[in-house]
């Protein structure tokens, strides 16, 4: 379920950013570009989350 919600919010936010940036630059909005970036961002977020330790490190 964690993976689904991560993808859901990443998909929405990345597509929103893609739309706004393309609009500001006067370019066409491409749904495929935003979706591809969302998939890549989701994989990176999940990979980084796996690398961060959950327990505190004692000195």
């Amino acid at each position: 379920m964690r993976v689904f919600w991560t993808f859901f919010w990443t998909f929405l936010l990345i597509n929103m950013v893609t739309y706004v940036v393309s609009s500001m630059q006067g370019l066409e909005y491409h749904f495929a570009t935003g979706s591809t970036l969302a998939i890549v961002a989701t994989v990176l977020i999940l990979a980084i989350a796996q690398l961060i330790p959950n327990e505190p490190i004692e000195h």
Side-chain angles (χ1 to χ4, degrees), residues 6-24 27-42 45:
T6 302
F7 176 71
F8 176 77
W9 286 110
T10 304
F11 183 80
L12 288 178
L13 293 172
I14 293 293
N15 274 291
M16 179 189 65
V17 168
T18 304
Y19 176 77
V20 170
V21 170
S22 66
S23 177
M24 289 174 60
L27 303 172
E28 289 185 27
Y29 167 67
H30 294 285
F31 181 75
T33 302
S35 299
T36 304
L37 289 173
I39 292 170
V40 171
T42 301
I45 290 170

